[in-house]
Amino acid sequence: MADELIERSGAQIAASVRSGSVSAVEVAAATLARVRAVDGLFGSYLTVLNETALARAAGVDERVRSGEQLPLAGVPIAVKDNMCLDGTRTTCGSKILEQWIAPYTATAVARMLAAGAVPIGKANCDEFAMGSSCENSALGVTRNPYDPTRVPGGSSGGSAAAVAAYEAAIGLGSDTGGSIREPGAFCNLIGFKPTYGRVSRYGLIAFASSLDQIGPLARSVEDAALAYDAMAGYDVMDATSIDRPVEATAGSLREDLRGLRIGIVKEFGTAALGDAMDAVYHDAYSDLERLGAELVEVSLPTAEYGVATYYLIAPAECSSNLARFDGVRYGLRVGGEDVRQMYDRTRAAGFGPEVKRRILIGTYALSSGYYDAYYLRAQKVRTLIAQDFQRAFEACDLIACPATSCPAFEFNAKNDPYSMYLMDYYTIPMALAGLPALSVPCGWMTPAGGSVPMPIGLQLSSPLFSERLLLGAAHAYEQATKHAQARKPPSRVNA
Ligand code: GLN
């Protein structure tokens, strides 16, 4: 029973809790038991909420009994540890916030709770969401449930591993340049980044404010849609949140792709990714066609500058956002002779090497004399990239392309910063343009030197605010191909 419970989708759990056939407390208890059994191996969580999860679940049962119709009744969720949850340690995977207790709850998390979700724990992530493998977390190692010798992806790797390993039904992640979509692809999940501004950033500890966006990681499109419907919408507490009605998505997922034109990006040819990946994407594109879509070639000529552009804009914004961690108000303080020395010592001890690198790059790019040459120029290229997409969407409704250039890699495999930065080659352009985009499982391959097949993700993207179209198309593809269901994490068998 407990095993069967944790394998249910979020939608199934919510339906059973609403009907009274199972209680939210039973679901939370089964999920916590699962966490106790496997999290020593996977390391998805930095904090497990044991008692609070059970208490919140009891509250959900009470609300169900009083007749509330909760779309996420009793659904266990993993919350990336860069989102505030009142009274809970919120670390951003950093030593500087290792002991920091959030004094309020992020809007996106609060909306999930209002819809009946039960937070199981705070999930590991790359420090301040900077990274693509979770290896930059200063507080723990997270492993890929499909092969624990490999990374889960990043930066939302803990949320992804938790969902893949049945330690939660839905995970919340944040995506700045690919941090939901890449771990989604690596862990056989839907990883969905909504349009920039769709989900409030209030209570999401900022990395790069013009790019950060919260979204779900889930084992099905339906669950991703339910979480999106719960979280999306204007929030007066976030000046960049967009005041525009949200179309509910979960009730209107498509079963086919008839009448849709899907753009295949000329510059993103898959032959260079190797035979196995090339074959997977070739089949994925044919399946889109088989489901009724018309494939058209589109061009994104400036997308190749995405990585260079992003690695000026994101560090520039991070150098400014992270200035607040100085030992005065939040988290770690290392004392010194004077305030200047206290700042220096606190930041030297509190930040890891990648965060320091970004602060240095960003400060340089924003400094007088270099601002025009670097930051301003990067902003101009960002506009060109957004215009490329606008033009492409005149010829197509959605774009399909790889989510990543390889499946999950082994620990320490990308040991120079640049090769790690290139992991976001396919996901950064959509982030710079603010577009909604997701990764959906599209096949498997055994990497060279690997012993088990690893999942591969297809990325779909669509115009601003067209989440319903995007999730609908992903649903049609998912239901027709069922790649995600082809395998379970091997550890599932033994746990
Ligand atoms: N991997 C990218 C980076 O390191 C993206 C991170 C993210 O989306 N948060 O910045």
Side-chain angles (χ1 to χ4, degrees):
M1 168 72 173
D3 269 7
E4 184 269 332
L5 252 187
I6 57 168
E7 288 190 20
R8 286 188 201 173
S9 71
Q12 289 165 339
I13 289 171
S16 333
V17 171
R18 277 195 303 267
S19 75
S21 69
V22 66
S23 72
V25 168
E26 284 172 282
V27 177
T31 310
L32 289 166
R34 171 71 180 168
V35 173
R36 278 193 295 277
V38 303
D39 208 51
L41 174 60
F42 300 131
S44 307
Y45 289 112
L46 292 173
T47 304
V48 180
L49 295 169
N50 297 305
E51 291 78 23
T52 25
L54 291 169
R56 276 184 199 277
V60 169
D61 286 329
E62 199 53 55
R63 290 166 67 194
V64 168
R65 271 195 297 275
S66 73
E68 270 192 74
Q69 285 301 314
L70 302 173
L72 295 172
V75 175
I77 60 167
V79 179
K80 185 175 181 178
D81 211 16
N82 62 352
M83 292 173 215
C84 293
L85 177 62
D86 192 6
T88 305
R89 195 170 78 111
T90 297
T91 68
C92 284
S94 180
K95 285 203 184 338
I96 211 157
L97 289 178
E98 192 170 1
Q99 306 301 339
W100 186 68
I101 308 288
Y104 67 100
T105 299
T107 300
V109 178
R111 289 185 180 180
M112 291 292 285
L113 303 187
V118 173
I120 297 300
K122 301 300 294 294
N124 197 15
C125 56
D126 286 295
E127 187 172 3
F128 286 99
M130 298 173 197
S132 304
S133 66
C134 243
E135 292 169 287
N136 291 340
S137 169
L139 303 181
V141 176
T142 303
R143 298 176 180 278
N144 192 308
Y146 285 87
D147 177 353
T149 68
R150 291 174 185 271
V151 303
S155 60
S156 313
S159 303
V163 177
Y166 303 98
E167 298 177 81
I170 296 175
L172 298 191
S174 64
D175 189 309
T176 305
S179 278
I180 296 176
R181 290 163 284 161
E182 189 242 22
F186 279 10
C187 291
N188 193 30
L189 303 172
I190 310 298
F192 170 41
K193 179 197 97 74
T195 303
Y196 177 77
R198 237 347 171 186
V199 177
S200 169
R201 292 187 298 111
Y202 179 67
L204 168 69
I205 296 172
F207 159 18
S209 312
S210 76
L211 294 155
D212 298 341
Q213 179 62 205
I214 293 175
L217 288 138
R219 295 190 297 264
S220 68
V221 174
E222 186 186 21
D223 279 6
L226 281 170
Y228 168 77
D229 288 350
M231 289 189 288
Y234 179 62
D235 177 15
V236 67
M237 299 303 283
D238 171 5
T240 59
S241 116
I242 289 157
D243 190 2
R244 171 178 167 145
V246 182
E247 287 184 326
T249 59
S252 56
L253 298 171
R254 308 169 59 110
E255 299 302 330
D256 64 57
L257 300 173
R258 272 199 291 268
L260 293 179
R261 295 161 307 164
I262 297 190
I264 305 296
V265 183
K266 187 169 106 191
E267 292 80 6
F268 288 172
T270 54
L273 304 182
D275 290 348
M277 293 275 280
D278 187 37
V280 167
Y281 287 119
H282 190 268
D283 288 350
Y285 300 158
S286 313
D287 284 337
L288 297 173
E289 207 165 22
R290 187 170 56 80
L291 285 164
E294 180 197 344
L295 300 188
V296 298
E297 188 180 84
V298 296
S299 175
L300 299 174
T302 54
E304 65 171 304
Y305 305 114
V307 172
T309 306
Y310 172 91
Y311 278 98
L312 286 166
I313 293 173
E317 294 184 14
C318 111
S319 72
S320 155
N321 277 324
L322 270 54
R324 74 192 60 162
F325 302 108
D326 55 8
V328 176
R329 276 159 301 183
Y330 311 100
L332 182 75
R333 173 183 297 177
V334 184
E337 312 266 291
D338 54 22
V339 72
R340 176 64 200 262
Q341 199 175 55
M342 189 268 285
Y343 292 160
D344 287 352
R345 288 186 178 171
T346 299
R347 288 167 70 83
F351 290 136
E354 182 59 28
V355 173
K356 286 178 183 160
R357 179 179 296 117
R358 304 239 185 151
I359 291 173
L360 289 172
I361 295 173
T363 306
Y364 186 83
L366 288 175
S367 58
S368 145
Y370 296 106
Y371 181 93
D372 289 5
Y374 293 113
Y375 186 70
L376 197 65
R377 178 169 280 224
Q379 292 291 18
K380 289 180 179 165
V381 179
R382 180 177 189 173
T383 303
L384 293 178
I385 292 173
Q387 287 170 348
D388 274 1
F389 278 106
Q390 265 164 18
R391 258 190 306 275
F393 286 130
E394 283 165 17
C396 65
D397 304 293
L398 293 141
I399 281 174
C401 68
T404 62
S405 53
C406 61
F409 45 87
E410 290 175 311
F411 289 89
N412 301 315
K414 310 270 172 201
N415 46 20
D416 68 295
Y418 190 59
S419 63
M420 192 68 89
Y421 296 173
L422 283 175
M423 284 313 302
D424 300 301
Y425 185 81
Y426 296 110
T427 49
I428 279 176
M430 293 75 177
L432 289 169
L435 298 170
L438 57 76
S439 172
V440 54
C442 69
W444 298 82
M445 71 169 273
T446 305
S451 52
V452 283
M454 296 302 289
I456 295 178
L458 173 71
Q459 185 175 204
L460 297 175
S461 182
S462 60
L464 297 169
F465 305 108
S466 63
E467 279 81 2
R468 181 185 277 188
L469 167 71
L470 180 61
L471 287 162
H475 182 260
Y477 176 77
E478 168 198 58
Q479 292 303 308
T481 57
K482 298 211 186 303
H483 289 296
Q485 275 102 313
R487 290 169 194 281
K488 287 183 173 180
S491 54
R492 179 76 203 97
V493 180
N494 313 323

